[in-house]
Amino acid sequence: MVGWITLERPKAMNALSREMIEGMTATLRAWIDDPEVRTVVITGTGPAFCAGADLKTASAPVAPGEKDFLDHIVVFFDTLRAFPKPTIAAVNGLTLAGGLEAVLACDIVLAARSARLGDGHSNFGVFPGGGGAAILPRKVPANVAKYLLFTGDAISADEMKAFGLVNEVVADAELADRAQALGEKFAKKSPLVLARMKKVANEAADKSTADALRHELHELRDHQRSWDIQEGLRAFVEKREPQFKGY
């Protein structure tokens, strides 16, 4: 099954409110242990994927000791980045600031041809807190990241594909179907092997090559004792589709 999270504040360009953030975080946490949900797609409604944080919400005062907007959005992005199943951003329109940071937190990025993506924080004198400055230079060339950070401009999906952030650009009308099809493809794989691959790949950038290889080998040793690898090998010998269980 492919789980869909759809941002539904089209009149506000799907700007992130505290309620939206808390709801998405709760949904992701519930899906971590749900064996039926094998992959997750995040998309938006209307002319925007997400134009960033709702600045009225973000600047609202909080009582002493209460978590503020930044606390909640950091938890959301951390949960999305660490989610152990494949995540797909289906970018349907304008994507800025916190919207771009949500894209950066996903594993795969599909974009409608009309979509435009950028950082946008500098347009309002706001400093990014969800990975805009820290992660964007890891996804695209550093000079491109700085251009987007400094100018606040949004560029086309095709340009972002050329820079490596977007995996595929599709016709606007085909975005949802393509995201669903890709999610279903992931859902047929062993959830255990995908989770382990994702863990090693996510952590590899912060390790030396030797340490990353040791980590990979350690995960393989554990994986060799799994039901899924035995089922995969049996299915290969028996020339049938494997039925993975995730353990």
Side-chain angles (χ1 to χ4, degrees):
M1 166 182 157
V2 180
W4 281 76
I5 293 177
T6 303
L7 307 181
E8 294 184 333
R9 293 184 70 203
K11 292 183 179 179
M13 305 292 280
N14 295 323
L16 298 170
S17 66
R18 176 171 170 175
E19 291 73 22
M20 290 171 68
I21 293 166
E22 290 178 335
M24 290 189 292
T25 301
T27 297
L28 288 171
R29 286 175 169 172
W31 283 347
I32 288 174
D33 297 319
D34 187 340
E36 296 300 314
V37 179
R38 295 290 187 92
T39 189
V40 172
V41 177
I42 300 180
T43 194
T45 54
F49 172 77
C50 175
D54 183 330
L55 295 182
K56 293 180 181 178
T57 299
S59 60
V62 297
E66 182 182 343
K67 289 184 177 180
D68 62 13
F69 183 85
L70 179 59
D71 292 322
H72 287 283
I73 203 164
V74 166
V75 169
F76 167 60
F77 287 134
D78 285 348
T79 303
L80 182 56
R81 277 191 291 269
F83 193 72
K85 305 172 186 184
T87 55
I88 301 169
V91 182
N92 58 292
L94 186 65
T95 303
L96 296 171
L100 180 65
E101 290 172 327
V103 170
L104 294 173
C106 290
D107 300 312
I108 306 296
V109 183
L110 307 180
R113 195 163 302 281
S114 66
R116 297 183 64 80
L117 303 90
D119 182 69
H121 283 99
S122 65
N123 294 334
F124 302 98
V126 177
F127 190 81
I135 295 178
L136 186 58
R138 299 176 182 226
K139 299 281 190 173
V140 301
N143 63 320
V144 174
K146 291 174 185 176
Y147 176 87
L148 294 170
L149 290 166
F150 298 167
T151 64
D153 292 346
I155 64 176
S156 72
D158 284 315
E159 288 177 286
M160 277 298 198
K161 183 176 186 297
F163 292 133
L165 178 62
V166 171
N167 294 93
E168 296 180 23
V169 179
V170 300
D172 290 24
E174 297 174 3
L175 180 64
D177 287 345
R178 176 57 184 146
Q180 179 69 24
L182 189 60
E184 289 174 357
K185 184 173 185 176
F186 293 156
K188 293 179 180 179
K189 311 295 185 183
S190 159
L192 182 63
V193 79
L194 294 189
R196 284 177 161 156
M197 286 177 173
K198 180 171 178 174
K199 179 181 178 183
V200 172
N202 281 352
E203 296 178 13
D206 297 322
K207 300 177 184 289
S208 68
T209 300
D211 285 343
L213 287 169
R214 277 191 287 270
H215 186 192
E216 183 180 71
L217 182 58
H218 174 77
E219 292 292 334
L220 171 58
R221 291 294 189 193
D222 281 348
H223 192 70
Q224 285 178 319
R225 293 186 285 270
S226 71
W227 192 94
D228 275 5
I229 193 171
Q230 299 304 321
E231 166 61 8
L233 295 174
R234 283 193 299 268
F236 175 79
V237 172
E238 297 167 8
K239 298 181 179 180
R240 60 174 175 83
E241 287 292 321
Q243 301 298 313
F244 297 117
K245 296 183 179 180
Y247 55 81

